Amino acid sequence: MLPVEFVQRMKSRLGEQYALFENALTQASPVSVRLNPRKQGSAITGQPVGWAEMGRYLNERPIFTLDPALHAGAYYVQEASSMFIEQAIRQHVPQTPVTALDLCAAPGGKSTHLVSLLHPDSLLVSNEVIRSRASILAENIAKWGYPNVVVTQNDPAEVGGLLGLFDVVVVDAPCSGEGLFRKDAEAASEWSEANVALCALRQRRILTDVWPALKAEGLLIYCTCTYSDEENEQVLKWLREEKDVEFCRIELGTAPGVEEVLVDGARGYRFYPHRVKGEGFFLSVMRKKSTQEKLYVRPRKSEAIAPAGIRSQIANWMRNPERLTINQLKDLLIAVPGGWSAEVELIINHLHVVTRGTALATLKHEKLIPEHAWALSTELNQDAFEVIELDETAALAYLRKDALHVESPTRGFALVTYRQLPLGWINRLGNRTNNLYPANWRIRMK
Ligand code: SAM
């Protein structure tokens, strides 16, 4: 059931096309995923999504939870329209190392996509203000396995304090969710004009707060999953009046059904479900023209670097040890992206960091106990470990954290894989095997 005022708004916006729009909402939502370019091996196949190289439409919706490859980070389940951010990045961000911020990042769709598209030596700060959502974000980032992400949990005003740190800022704003009515009946039941107005105010506040963190000449990518003028065009017009921005054009060759919106010098791109195979979505790219008044101060180098002995002991766990710096926090060893130590230190000093880089190991009585995140890292050197391949039934038992017996003549830690995709660690103790899958990540579906 669509809210009456929403129907009126859409009729006046779409005119004759309204019937097509309403009809599209009665159809099943397309199912799509985005493959991880660094983790191949899942059984997923499907038609490509035109505007996203690794995007695939599936013919039907499988029970994703029961596919171990999902938990290995081989793909991310994501609505196709929102993969359009790929065109913003490909067409406007150079393939050189950049600093990027995803401000409203949970559960991690845009962040996992961004980190796969940016130059591999870039740094991505993936932030989510709501604590419970920030831990889901950290879990999804760990599964995706890229080494160059810092997950933070802060209010946009706090993130805005990182003056001029970022070349790219993505604001995938909390919105009234009109574009998701087909997928999510609750979004329709919660819709009201008052809520649209509230969201519009909040979007301006978020943009105002984060603005100082964007470098002069940096790119702001603003997107929503709603159609309303107040949350899209009006926000862009307000940005144009309040801040000095230049709107960037996106070539639509890969996404011919997308509507280009031009109002009073502002430019954006709108997805409708009757014109594009995906849900409702809106995106705009802007360049910051105003000069940066102040810049962040680069802190002293990190004091948390692990001693040389430990670094050499653990070097062969990594595929590219020269590209990572090993930090030691009490007993925990963490691999952080090498060239960004000072920036990571700055972020640690200013924000609430949930994870930085990838946890490698815990030191216990001079021994290295591998951390779960390292099993999922795309920087893991598998040759340093014994690897045990599991079939689907055993892989699901492992992911449920059930007792697992693995025949193996040796003792100690081993990496378990499914379709050669690492899932995590086990510890073989002779007559039994410890399943080291994190308890709070385990799957509960039978
Ligand atoms: N970018 C995410 C993705 O692609 O998976 C989806 C983000 S969702 C559209 C918007 C996010 O903004 C939510 O995770 C929500 O918790 C967060 N949020 C809610 N209120 C906020 C606020 N006042 N400031 C910043 N973020 C907020």
Side-chain angles (χ1 to χ4, degrees):
M1 281 294 283
L2 297 175
V4 180
E5 294 91 345
F6 170 74
V7 171
Q8 282 163 357
R9 283 165 165 249
M10 293 310 287
K11 279 185 174 165
S12 68
R13 170 188 286 281
L14 289 170
E16 283 177 356
Q17 283 199 27
Y18 179 77
L20 295 172
F21 170 75
E22 199 182 84
N23 182 50
L25 295 192
T26 65
Q27 314 292 313
S29 290
V31 181
S32 49
V33 303
R34 190 169 34 75
L35 305 174
N36 187 335
R38 294 199 191 166
K39 292 194 179 190
Q40 292 180 4
S42 87
I44 294 273
T45 53
Q47 289 299 313
V49 174
W51 48 89
E53 193 181 344
M54 303 307 272
R56 299 287 181 275
Y57 291 110
L58 309 190
N59 290 333
E60 53 190 29
R61 192 173 189 88
I63 305 174
F64 285 117
T65 306
L66 297 183
D67 179 7
L70 174 73
H71 304 276
Y75 62 91
Y76 189 95
V77 182
Q78 189 179 25
E79 189 285 298
S81 303
S82 55
M83 298 179 198
F84 185 62
I85 199 166
E86 176 160 333
Q87 293 307 316
I89 300 293
R90 285 193 191 279
Q91 296 184 33
H92 292 288
V93 178
Q95 264 304 306
T96 51
V98 294
T99 44
L101 165 70
D102 185 6
L103 183 67
C104 311
K110 308 282 181 317
S111 281
T112 51
H113 199 178
L114 285 168
V115 80
S116 302
L117 292 168
L118 298 174
H119 185 283
D121 293 328
S122 298
L123 178 70
L124 173 68
V125 176
S126 185
N127 177 72
E128 166 60 42
V129 64
I130 298 174
R131 192 199 299 184
S132 56
R133 291 177 61 83
S135 32
I136 294 164
L137 172 66
E139 177 178 335
N140 285 330
I141 294 289
K143 286 178 176 169
W144 203 247
Y146 281 54
N148 48 335
V149 187
V150 175
V151 177
T152 58
Q153 189 239 316
N154 285 88
D155 187 87
E158 294 160 338
V159 185
L162 298 171
L163 302 174
L165 178 60
F166 298 104
D167 298 296
V168 181
V169 170
V170 175
V171 177
D172 186 15
C175 69
S176 60
E178 295 167 352
L180 300 182
F181 285 179
R182 170 163 72 172
K183 260 178 77 179
D184 178 4
E186 213 177 301
S189 71
E190 282 172 4
W191 186 93
S192 68
E193 295 205 316
N195 191 38
V196 170
L198 206 75
C199 288
L201 271 179
R202 183 167 57 193
Q203 286 146 0
R204 290 177 195 211
R205 196 182 67 227
I206 291 173
L207 289 164
T208 305
D209 285 346
V210 77
W211 188 250
L214 182 61
K215 264 182 205 165
E217 294 297 318
L219 276 192
L220 170 68
I221 302 177
Y222 175 75
C223 46
T224 71
C225 53
T226 206
Y227 307 108
S228 80
D229 186 61
E230 295 95 315
E231 298 174 75
N232 297 314
E233 286 92 329
Q234 297 294 336
V235 171
L236 301 189
K237 277 163 69 177
W238 167 82
L239 269 167
R240 192 167 173 270
E241 282 153 21
E242 294 291 314
K243 317 276 173 201
D244 196 1
V245 296
E246 185 180 278
F247 287 87
C248 304
R249 196 169 163 265
I250 299 182
E251 175 57 54
L252 290 177
T254 60
V258 174
E259 181 187 85
E260 185 169 40
V261 178
L262 286 166
V263 273
D264 301 338
R267 190 190 292 269
Y269 297 87
R270 187 179 264 113
F271 283 62
Y272 287 115
H274 60 292
R275 295 183 49 163
V276 169
K277 194 170 171 186
E279 305 302 336
F281 185 62
F282 185 91
L283 180 141
S284 176
V285 185
M286 288 147 266
R287 195 169 292 286
K288 179 174 182 172
K289 298 312 288 182
S290 51
T291 50
Q292 191 69 46
E293 291 150 35
K294 284 189 191 152
L295 265 186
Y296 70 94
V297 181
R298 234 167 181 266
R300 287 173 287 138
K301 271 252 178 242
S302 168
E303 285 167 15
I305 295 188
I310 290 178
R311 294 204 312 267
S312 69
Q313 203 184 334
I314 210 162
N316 77 327
W317 288 24
M318 291 172 255
R319 280 154 41 116
N320 305 294
E322 70 290 349
R323 291 176 60 189
L324 298 167
T325 301
I326 311 304
N327 282 354
Q328 183 172 356
L329 269 190
K330 296 192 178 134
D331 292 336
L332 184 65
L333 300 174
I334 307 172
V336 296
W340 297 109
S341 301
E343 284 74 10
V344 171
E345 198 70 9
L346 175 87
I347 294 160
I348 292 166
N349 289 341
H350 275 78
L351 301 182
H352 176 233
V353 170
V354 182
T355 55
R356 61 181 96 165
T358 314
L360 260 168
T362 304
L363 268 173
K364 206 170 178 183
H365 313 302
E366 314 269 300
K367 275 193 165 163
L368 294 169
I369 315 291
E371 281 288 318
H372 184 70
W374 196 250
L376 300 170
S377 173
T378 55
E379 291 294 319
L380 165 77
N381 174 23
Q382 291 195 27
D383 298 343
F385 301 94
E386 197 168 322
V387 177
I388 297 173
E389 171 74 6
L390 303 180
D391 63 16
E392 188 184 76
T393 309
L396 285 171
Y398 176 72
L399 294 167
R400 291 186 178 111
K401 206 170 166 59
D402 287 347
L404 198 71
H405 187 71
V406 174
E407 287 301 330
S408 168
T410 42
R411 287 178 173 230
F413 294 104
L415 182 72
V416 290
T417 58
Y418 167 74
R419 297 178 70 100
Q420 269 135 49
L421 294 160
L423 294 175
W425 306 106
I426 56 171
N427 193 9
R428 296 150 305 160
L429 303 167
N431 53 358
R432 66 189 170 88
T433 304
N434 271 355
N435 179 341
L436 300 180
Y437 197 68
N440 50 343
W441 289 14
R442 74 180 193 277
I443 56 179
R444 291 177 173 84
M445 186 186 272
K446 286 293 163 194

